[in-house]
Amino acid sequence: MDKLSRQTETGSERAARYGTLSLFWIFALVSIYPMIWLTLSSFKSSSEMFGNSWALPQRWRWENYVAAWDYGVSQYLISSVIVTVASTAIIVILASAAAYALVALKLRGRAFLYMAILGGSILPPEVSLLPLFRTVTALGIYNTYWALIVPYVAFGLPFTTFLIRAYMVKIPLELAEAAEMDGAGPFWTFWNVYLPLSRPILASAALISAMRVWNEFIFALTFVESESVKTITIGMMSFANALRGDWAVMMAGMVISVLPIFVVFLVLQRQFIGGLTQGAVK
Amino acid sequence: MKAQTMRRIAPYLFLFPSLLLLISFVYAPALENMVYSLFSWSSVRIESRFVGLDNYRELFASQIFWRALVNNALYAVISIVFQVFFALVIAAVLVAGVFGPLLRNFFRTAFFLPSILPVTVVGLLWQLIYQPTIGLIDQLLFATGLQSLSHVWLGEEATVMMSVIMVSQWQWTGYMIVLFMVAIQAIPSDLYEALRMEGASRIQQFFYITVPGVRESTLILAIITIFGAFKVFDIIWVMTAGGPNNASEVLGTHMYRSAFRNDVSGYAAAVATVIFFITLAVGAVQIRLQRQD
Amino acid sequence: MSELRLQRATKRFGNLTVIEKLDLEVHDREFVVLVGPSGCGKSTLLRMIAGLEDITDGDLIIDGQRMNEIPAARRGLAMVFQSYALYPHMTVAQNMSVGLRIAGENKATIQNKVAEAARILQLEPMLDRKPKALSGGQRQRVAIGRAIVRNPRIFLFDEPLSNLDAALRLQMRLELSKLHDELAATMIYVTHDQVEAMTLADRIVVMNAGRIEQIGTPEELYQRPANLFVAGFIGSPKMNLVEAHSDGNVIDSAIGRYPIRVAEGPVTLGVRPEVIRIGCQDCSTTHSGHVQVVERLGANSFAYLDVGDRTLLTVELPGMTSIKAGEDLQISIPADKVLVFGGNGERLR
């Protein structure tokens, strides 16, 4: 069909198409060139970086990466991985349990309970930040991984529950009823029917939660202070402050901090985008 | 009898941990925050003093607060232009099959990529790109003979806010394009075919089918965008921390600095409460729209 | 022995009463079909029996034991769902054995029971397949197999054939009949399809708006419907229902005068299409009509006659009839085959 319309297009249509095409190439370039520049610069020396901004590195300086790694990026990375894995696992487990109850179990006030969970998504973290800071301190978890994991879970639940629920609603209720007739309790049905059947959305939900946690900023800025607990988003701030001037090493550190999420995205692009769009578009 | 009771409460056990966490770490703090805003207190002094609406009076008299509010509004308007209108058009072009599938996927991925970056990386990266003279933008301007347009982008009060806002557009427009693409792809293709039979051009198809077809999604995405604009904090904190001279202050940074730098927590809580009511209004609309499915 | 009794069973959803004080007895080894239009409460009734819906009021008694508070799984029932409700991620054998596995039966027993059910239903070659790899009829059989392995006191079926195409539905109907004989089990079956009800049931329960209109054997319902609703619902094509008036001694209608003595007032006459004769046999009640449409089905045909007074009469004709639309036709109706319904819809004769 496209071929056909291409054969019959007039001169002005062709001009419009090429015009659009070049415009899109410019947009694409604006979109990704900063990342390319970041990557290339991370292999240069600092003077070369600004002096020869547009060129390939004269020599690929892997030592920038070694320096960044040794300078503390490795520790930030470990913290980020721990916090992200723990938060994501807890979010997905709790959210799928909640979604299952909302979809398949007999509840009084189901609509209210759903709103009670979903409502959390309209509260920006800034609003709770000050009292949360005190809570975290009072619980004695300030400056530990828990100071991040617990709030991340609480703030991650509404959206994730929404996402998983939207998927579980489409699982025929008759499956749960058949299980009930077969003598299954709610836990059995959750574990043996709903979870296995929700695997695609669980993957998407985990990916999105992981990305959000990995990139989270304001809690990480507020609830931890030791370098050993800082996640990479905040770690990069101290890193950059410490390295003002040694741009190239700083950029190597930035590339390292992006790399995990970048790789995951490229490998699992479909689940990634699938989950994001299910949440936002009807 | 015990099994009977178990059967009745089991459903609530599935919800209990989530609700407990939400109440303790989301809802309760948000309410506490409102209480805090009626007191004058700080972290160094233990005692706090009830001051009624004094914090709000101070707030509404503060020039920085109004400047921040205007900046948030500006952020919202520019974001709507780029992340809703512009993104919708780009998405429509991508879906319409103007390019082959390979090129389309390339563009989609290229536009989407910035949205997966941590905000620190984006902020630091663009600080470098905005560097006067040696940054990429100034280099580009000098190379094309437009050096008169050069600025200390993040250092001048006149340019700083727009500079930061544009970074946000760079990061999020592609994300919104992908969301719009999904919404557009959900429109039944026979609608387009029927209109094509009538001889409608692509632009007519866009206005007669695409725009009405994604009306609800557009509304939701616009609300999400506004929502994001009023709670923005991270990108500004990384790039300018609200400076220079509060020129890029937004409510989020104003609140944060008041709480954790200037140690006027009651005042900070008042700012947070303002953010709360703004986002509550926006969010309430969103939840209503999303519940219609 | 498997007997089931409902006594004044009532179901309310909030203020909405779906089932009102309903009494029903199902005997051992009986095949009872609940039939009625959609929304009549038949599925809700089945789900109340199954334990999937609470019983708001009244009693459910199975083999002498009150079951209202007993959870679904411990009522000794098995249910075949409309969509079959097979777990898509489990094989046929796993699907059939879920109940046994939950009950903690040992492996050998499970294997024997599954094998036995598979044999009865000719599912042996499919035991390791997933439901997706099965045809509609095969899935249906797996769903039945899942019920069989539990060796229930009573089988419940919720519109089990409605997702199958016409040919398969006929075949499964026969298989279900055979299965009922083979297992000598008590079965309660819900459908909106009166043909299924007529062909499968020992007794049919016709429901409407949460109440039972009539309980009886297929023949009773067909020959002696208790009221206009049952008369109109059972039989295909539908019974002809003609408005008429009784003066106490004679009923006068668009299809003739009948010396039937019922109380004076408006009545409705019911005439099955197959009792109407063509031509003048008992010429006292001959009447003429104008043929509007003829449908030829092969073994028989149906003519739709305009008999005046805005009344359209369906007449069954043998074979591929040569009667054509546009003809005028003489018909006669034996008076003893005419049913009479009173103004309240109850059958008077």
Side-chain angles (χ1 to χ4, degrees), chain A residues 131-144 146-147 150-151, chain B residues 21 24-25:
Chain A
L132 257 185
F133 178 74
R134 304 190 90 199
T135 309
V136 160
T137 316
L139 289 174
I141 56 175
Y142 176 77
N143 203 27
T144 69
W146 290 110
V150 176
Chain B
L21 279 168
S24 342
F25 293 94

Side-chain angles (χ1 to χ4, degrees), chain B residues 145-163:
Chain B
L146 295 169
Q147 57 264 48
S148 57
L149 295 178
S150 166
H151 284 276
V152 186
W153 299 99
L154 298 177
E156 295 174 23
E157 286 186 39
T159 55
V160 62
M161 195 61 211
M162 274 311 278
S163 300

Side-chain angles (χ1 to χ4, degrees), chain A residues 37-48:
Chain A
W37 180 70
L38 168 68
T39 315
L40 289 180
S41 302
S42 70
F43 286 101
K44 296 176 178 176
S45 70
S46 286
S47 58
E48 184 189 354

Side-chain angles (χ1 to χ4, degrees), chain A residues 108-144:
Chain A
R108 270 174 196 284
R110 180 193 311 269
F112 171 79
L113 289 169
Y114 181 38
M115 287 314 286
I117 292 178
L118 197 57
S121 63
I122 63 166
L123 279 173
E126 283 103 320
V127 174
S128 311
L129 191 68
L130 253 175
L132 257 185
F133 178 74
R134 304 190 90 199
T135 309
V136 160
T137 316
L139 289 174
I141 56 175
Y142 176 77
N143 203 27
T144 69

